[in-house]
Amino acid sequence: MRVGLFRRIASFLLDAVPILVTLSLLFSLFVGDLLKEDGYDDLIVEYQSIVDDYNATINPYLQQFENDEITEDEYLALIQDDYDQFIEDTNIHTQAMLNYFVRGFFYHFIGFIVIYYAYNLIFKGNTYGRQIMKIELGGKITWWTIFVREIVYKVMFWLITLFIGGILIDMAVIAFSKRGKAPRDFVSNTYIKHKGVDYQM
């Protein structure tokens, strides 16, 4: 008796969302400030001032364009010098913001992997999300199979294949697999079954 897609997805979300919310809360309260480079807040204030000045400079041309007084090509030609100057003036600011974003991304990514793996390890794959959805992990459950299954072939696979529909590929394999197995089930020699049902896949 195969476990449907809804139960599998819902169980993952029930486990993942609280972890992400906790990481985001910690980021906004403490970690975010630690990841800022020196003078970051001053740079943001300065950046906003430059943006305001730039918008004030090009606004008359924008109004002319919106009123059909000039063409789009004429509008772009009129603001080109101001735009080039804006890009030059904000180069250091955008670099600082990009660095902050990258640090924030890696904080959430690595933090999620560590917590999600430890969480699965403690519960031997039978997390609260699975318990709520009345499903459980079966097969050979070790620290290695949990790492391969939950981290390598779930979290990392989904992230790496995000823009080519990795999650959809995963769901399609589950939907069309005779026994409802995902790629991670095959490589880790594990399977998802209904809670309390004793059978081999």
Side-chain angles (χ1 to χ4, degrees):
M1 186 175 175
R2 59 193 287 171
V3 175
L5 273 173
F6 172 77
R7 284 178 184 262
R8 296 176 75 126
I9 294 169
S11 70
F12 175 73
L13 291 176
L14 285 168
D15 291 328
V17 170
I19 295 173
L20 289 172
V21 168
T22 302
L23 286 169
S24 295
L25 189 60
L26 289 172
F27 184 82
S28 61
L29 293 176
F30 309 109
V31 180
D33 287 336
L34 297 175
L35 296 180
K36 292 176 181 176
E37 55 190 65
D38 290 338
Y40 180 82
D41 290 332
D42 292 334
L43 280 174
I44 295 302
V45 171
E46 188 177 71
Y47 175 78
Q48 190 57 57
S49 176
I50 295 171
V51 169
D52 291 341
D53 290 343
Y54 172 71
N55 287 334
T57 301
I58 70 166
N59 191 57
Y61 305 127
L62 181 60
Q63 290 297 321
Q64 287 180 308
F65 171 63
E66 289 177 345
N67 293 333
D68 292 326
E69 296 173 17
I70 58 175
T71 66
E72 183 177 0
D73 288 340
E74 289 173 326
Y75 166 70
L76 294 174
L78 286 168
I79 69 167
Q80 187 62 55
D81 289 341
D82 293 313
Y83 177 74
D84 291 340
Q85 188 62 50
F86 171 76
I87 294 299
E88 184 179 334
D89 291 344
T90 58
N91 184 51
I92 188 172
H93 307 80
T94 53
Q95 188 60 50
M97 288 187 282
L98 178 61
N99 290 341
Y100 183 61
F101 172 80
V102 170
R103 289 176 190 147
F105 171 80
F106 278 106
Y107 156 77
H108 283 88
F109 179 62
I110 294 170
F112 181 82
I113 285 178
V114 170
I115 295 171
Y116 186 67
Y117 176 63
Y119 172 54
N120 271 273
L121 204 57
I122 291 167
F123 287 93
K124 296 184 178 178
N126 293 310
T127 59
Y128 281 120
R130 289 187 178 127
Q131 292 176 39
I132 291 168
M133 297 310 298
K134 299 185 190 289
I135 59 177
E136 59 187 359
L137 186 64
K140 188 177 181 181
I141 303 171
T142 66
W143 68 271
W144 177 247
T145 55
I146 287 176
F147 178 76
V148 169
R149 184 184 200 286
E150 299 297 332
I151 304 304
V152 177
Y153 277 89
K154 185 185 279 185
V155 178
M156 291 186 179
F157 172 74
W158 285 353
L159 185 66
I160 292 169
T161 61
L162 180 65
F163 297 109
I164 59 170
I167 295 175
L168 295 177
I169 293 168
D170 207 29
M171 291 168 64
V173 172
I174 294 170
F176 293 107
S177 168
K178 185 177 179 182
R179 295 178 178 176
K181 284 186 140 190
R184 57 187 168 275
D185 297 321
F186 291 105
V187 297
S188 64
N189 197 27
T190 58
Y191 53 89
I192 295 293
K193 63 188 183 75
H194 291 279
K195 194 171 184 178
V197 177
D198 188 20
Y199 62 90
Q200 295 293 323
M201 296 294 281

